[in-house]
Amino acid sequence: MTEYRSKITQLKQAVLQGGLLSKPEAMELIEAPLDELCAAANEIREFFCGNQFDLCTIINGKSGQCTEDCKYCAQSVWYTTTAQSYPLLSEEKLVEQAHYHDSKGVPRYSIVTSGRSLSQQEVDQACASVARIRQETNLSVCVSFGLLQQEQFRQLKEAGVSRIHNNLESSRRYFPQVCTTHSYDEKIATIRAAQQAGLTVCSGGIVGLGETMEDRLDLAFTLRDLGIGSVPINVLNPIAGTPYAHNQPLRNEEVCRIVAIFRFILPTAFIRLAG
């Protein structure tokens, strides 16, 4: 136990001095005492991020009928669930909801759509909505529109989008167990296309899919290599009708350990918690 405490202190000091953890060092934290690990992670957070709390809200801008087979998702046509299906919401509806969230003091509004990617016509429609939201509210706008091309990302940026969301979901090794209709490389290419278009990127994953702790760490290192500064850690909520319907929910202690180790690996990132 004393050895673990010494290792936590050593790695914490290295991070506070601007160092980056290696994978073998991060792996050592998997068995470290949880209380000491979380306390050290909190020191890292306070040092790099202060006590700032960043919040965003999402709207399900297009629902259901998704061709992709992501095994956690109720909106996939591959599974029988109770999820609603509807086309891309109208400009009026998206702007109306933006005004509501702006009035509540939410700083960032994210439009999330189902499907592999939006069509060009849908991108054009979304751009008109975003332009109005930016003109009429104080909200920053983030969108999750799937595997778009760099020119489409440029178009969205010109309309007022500042950030793209595109989760990697898990490690490269485990991703084929999560989805087979698109690849890890396609996701990474999409992230890089958005970055090249001048957009920041929000990307993280889901824990509780059946992956190992090493898979979770590998995800964190991939995000670090990609320069991602906004990292959602989603905890799987098993949905009836999906292949993960009977997955055992993670214990709070395991979620805390995951978040703490992510903080060691990604000391300056905004780590966002979601279900």
Side-chain angles (χ1 to χ4, degrees), residues 98-155:
H99 278 288
Y100 170 79
H101 291 296
D102 188 35
S103 72
K104 300 299 182 182
V106 174
R108 181 171 293 276
Y109 179 64
S110 182
I111 306 169
V112 180
T113 58
S114 65
R116 181 182 178 88
S117 64
L118 290 190
S119 68
Q120 184 57 51
Q121 180 179 353
E122 289 172 322
V123 171
D124 294 341
Q125 179 183 335
C127 283
S129 300
V130 170
R132 271 195 62 193
I133 292 167
R134 293 290 295 135
Q135 289 168 1
E136 298 179 17
T137 75
N138 297 309
L139 295 168
S140 296
V141 180
C142 172
V143 300
S144 182
F145 290 165
L147 307 177
L148 298 182
Q149 302 300 310
Q150 188 173 328
E151 280 304 316
Q152 292 171 310
F153 286 131
R154 285 201 182 98
Q155 182 183 353

Side-chain angles (χ1 to χ4, degrees), residues 251-272:
R251 294 177 296 108
N252 288 342
E253 292 80 5
E254 189 169 6
V255 175
C256 288
R257 183 174 298 278
I258 293 165
V259 173
I261 298 177
F262 265 60
R263 176 53 68 201
F264 269 81
I265 299 170
L266 298 158
T268 63
F270 276 103
I271 296 178
R272 306 180 183 278

